[in-house]
Amino acid sequence: MVGPLILAIDEGTTNAKAIAVDRDGRVVARGSQSLTLQHPQPGLAEQDPVAIWLAVKEAITHCLAACGGASVAAVAISNQRESVLIWQRRDGKPLTPLVSWQDRRSELLCRDLRQAGKAPRITGLTGLAVDPMFPAAKLTGMLAAIPDGAARAAAGELCIGTVDSWLSWQLSAGEVFITDHANASRTQLYSLHLNDWDDELLTLFQLPRAALPRITASASEQGVVAVNDIPGLAPGTPILARIGDSHAALQAQRRGESEVVKATYGTGSSLMMSMATPLLTENGLSTTVAWHDGTLRYAFEGNITHTGSGAAWLGRMLGVQEPRELTAMAQRCDDNQGIYFVPALSGLGAPWWDLQARGMVCGLTDAATPAVLARVALESIVWQIADVFFAMEQASGQQLPALCVDGSATENSWLMQLQADVLQRPLQRVPTAEVSALGAALLAGKVLGWWQQGSDMQALQGGSVIMPREEHAQRMQENYKGWIDAVARCRYQPH
């Protein structure tokens, strides 16, 4: 095998992955290590930062072992977003777990901020709703729990960072403490107007600037590998890209100068729509930085808390563990019988942002069967994606021509056909499951001068298109109205 190669790390919630990409944009090797997510108490979700770093090292080692000694030209990082930790600057020792984006420990603080009338100002500065998904409110409590935490952070003794910061720190042996604009914009400490940490927000959340990483472009050389215990990865290899996973997937799927709308299907889901300027909206969408590859690009985003995890939860209630078995059950019936499952298992995310909403199955009759409930479980994914897609059309003032889709659930052709029928738009399914890692590799390739867009990479060429069935349009529209009624029911809180 002939080099050079780009090593792209994709650190997610459930797996740490690494791929090697050659000059033609082909994936020539892979490595993966599973990760665990702990729930020490209801509402808490944590991971071990050291275990994450060790898993990344193992994934890299396995990947590069299959590359025949080819040289690595650059390292790129794609990471789970909004998950944060605090560590000691002098020795890199974590002082907290990695607190996951799924963690809800800041619900009370978020509620207090909304009741105090702070939410409009916070959203106006950051583009983000006041919700426990975003790290700022969690970091307030995390720092307060560290003995002398505030003083040590103000003195620069502590580092507060997202996963990209943690991995850059580890790869550079503590020489590089950075994040990119895209990851920074997800912390609720970053101003879309200043493109920097915001002093007003830092004061509100009691977090000192001295503890935060320097913000840099998503695609730029920022330090080099300094560790020497990863076989095949030589010290001195430049670190050329770092970006959140959903942003990386958006970057990979953009073609030319046209904007792109994509949905990533996973435990939760993210819809993003790229745009040139940061438009703020009041219809439940976030506004965020998409990437910085020499030019800042922005995006609308809708984050949905429970899509795959919601369907899996109802599946377990039916005694079904495997997604394929759930789909096989769902295909036995042609209609949902007017039954809807709203997976507000920890409130509702975009576009509703309602922490008080609670999950429900409504519309049940004695004609319901396990097969109908299996269908209803999977339909909950499709309806929630539609909520955000239609909100993006409303916010942008245009009819969106298609939806690019990625993530494990896109392998389910029955589900994707249902999604196309509900939206009455074509779905463009990416040809690979490694789109986030490839998006990070693309950014590093831009720095090296290898590629300019995803279509230049062989791994991102092709894919399939799923066309909507027009004869289903009226029924899907009627069923979507039923879904909206179900959402209203789960948000109703009698006093």
Side-chain angles (χ1 to χ4, degrees):
M1 186 177 296
V2 179
L5 305 170
I6 291 174
L7 172 70
I9 300 164
D10 183 15
E11 197 292 308
T13 305
T14 56
N15 292 280
K17 302 176 183 178
I19 63 172
V21 185
D22 70 9
R23 182 68 176 77
D24 293 324
R26 296 175 300 185
V27 177
V28 297
R30 299 168 175 85
S32 180
Q33 289 288 308
S34 62
L35 296 166
T36 58
L37 182 69
Q38 289 86 34
H39 299 278
Q41 296 178 32
L44 303 189
E46 302 175 350
Q47 293 183 284
D48 180 349
V50 174
I52 286 174
W53 169 235
L54 293 176
V56 167
K57 289 171 66 176
E58 284 297 311
I60 293 172
T61 299
H62 291 163
C63 176
L64 295 182
C67 293
S71 63
V72 177
V75 175
I77 298 169
S78 164
N79 61 280
Q80 58 168 306
R81 308 173 305 154
E82 294 112 16
S83 300
V84 288
L85 74 152
I86 303 174
W87 68 93
Q88 291 186 149
R89 190 181 294 266
R90 70 170 185 267
D91 59 7
K93 177 184 177 182
L95 299 179
T96 69
L98 180 76
V99 175
S100 169
W101 58 273
Q102 300 179 41
D103 188 281
R104 311 297 289 179
R105 70 186 62 195
S106 60
E107 277 193 4
L108 290 179
L109 178 53
C110 289
R111 182 198 64 189
D112 292 345
L113 289 169
R114 288 195 299 272
Q115 290 180 348
K118 303 287 188 182
R121 179 61 175 167
I122 295 171
T123 300
L125 290 170
T126 66
L128 307 177
V130 175
D131 184 85
M133 185 179 124
F134 303 111
K138 286 183 275 200
L139 284 167
T140 300
M142 291 165 64
L143 185 60
I146 297 172
D148 299 319
R152 295 184 65 195
E157 296 178 14
L158 305 183
C159 296
I160 297 173
T162 45
V163 172
D164 61 311
S165 299
W166 174 241
L167 295 181
S168 295
W169 174 278
Q170 293 292 342
L171 286 165
S172 68
E175 291 298 315
V176 174
F177 182 39
I178 60 168
T179 191
D180 82 307
H181 286 269
N183 274 296
S185 71
R186 307 302 297 171
T187 63
Q188 210 153 52
L189 301 171
Y190 175 98
S191 168
L192 292 175
H193 310 283
L194 302 174
N195 299 126
D196 195 4
W197 304 122
D198 187 274
D199 288 331
E200 180 180 343
L201 295 168
L202 296 179
T203 299
L204 177 65
F205 290 106
Q206 302 174 52
L207 299 168
R209 183 184 285 263
L212 297 176
R214 177 171 57 88
I215 301 174
T216 186
S218 310
S220 62
E221 182 171 346
Q222 300 292 333
V224 299
V225 173
V227 294
N228 57 11
D229 61 347
I230 304 178
L233 184 59
T237 304
I239 305 170
L240 297 189
R242 72 293 309 158
I243 190 169
D245 49 11
S246 288
H247 308 251
L250 189 71
Q251 164 77 201
Q253 295 176 74
R254 190 179 186 219
R255 297 293 181 265
E257 295 301 314
S258 61
E259 304 301 350
V260 61
V261 187
K262 70 91 192 171
T264 298
Y265 293 74
T267 305
S269 290
S270 161
L271 275 78
M272 297 185 82
M273 172 184 171
S274 63
M275 57 188 178
T277 56
L279 302 176
L280 296 177
T281 175
E282 295 182 356
N283 69 344
L285 298 177
S286 299
T287 303
T288 191
V289 173
W291 59 74
H292 189 324
D293 59 354
T295 302
L296 270 169
R297 298 291 300 186
Y298 297 88
F300 280 140
E301 180 166 15
N303 300 100
I304 307 168
T305 309
H306 293 288
T307 49
S309 62
W313 180 89
L314 187 52
R316 289 194 299 273
M317 299 301 104
L318 297 170
V320 177
Q321 300 296 326
E322 293 298 323
R324 290 184 180 180
E325 184 182 351
L326 192 67
T327 301
M329 287 180 64
Q331 289 178 288
R332 295 175 195 155
C333 55
D334 296 325
D335 188 72
N336 64 13
Q337 297 184 359
I339 302 171
Y340 296 89
F341 168 48
V342 185
L345 304 179
S346 54
L348 285 171
W352 312 105
W353 295 114
D354 188 346
L355 290 176
Q356 302 306 311
R358 289 295 176 262
M360 70 163 49
V361 178
C362 61
L364 288 168
T365 71
D366 56 5
T369 66
V372 173
L373 292 178
R375 180 186 178 100
V376 165
L378 292 171
E379 281 188 348
S380 72
I381 299 174
V382 168
W383 303 131
Q384 290 184 96
I385 295 289
D387 285 341
V388 178
F389 185 87
F390 294 144
M392 286 182 171
E393 288 194 323
Q394 181 185 41
S396 64
Q398 58 182 300
Q399 179 171 305
L400 303 176
L403 178 65
C404 297
V405 295
D406 62 80
S408 57
T410 62
E411 298 175 9
N412 185 332
S413 294
W414 179 86
L415 183 69
M416 292 298 100
Q417 184 63 65
L418 182 62
Q419 186 74 78
D421 291 344
V422 169
L423 298 180
Q424 284 298 297
R425 304 287 191 283
L427 301 189
Q428 297 175 350
R429 185 160 49 182
V430 295
T432 173
E434 294 155 333
V435 64
S436 293
L438 286 165
L442 171 58
L443 288 169
K446 287 184 177 184
V447 179
L448 293 172
W450 287 11
W451 318 297
Q452 290 303 312
Q453 59 181 11
S455 58
D456 296 334
M457 304 173 70
Q458 287 193 19
L460 290 171
Q461 295 173 4
S464 59
V465 177
I466 301 169
M467 298 300 297
R469 298 172 295 189
E470 292 184 15
E471 64 271 22
H472 289 250
Q474 183 174 350
R475 181 163 67 93
M476 290 298 106
Q477 187 175 29
E478 293 170 354
N479 286 355
Y480 184 66
K481 290 178 181 178
W483 162 259
I484 295 299
D485 287 342
V487 170
R489 293 187 191 189
C490 89
R491 300 182 70 192
Y492 172 66
Q493 298 293 325
H495 298 288

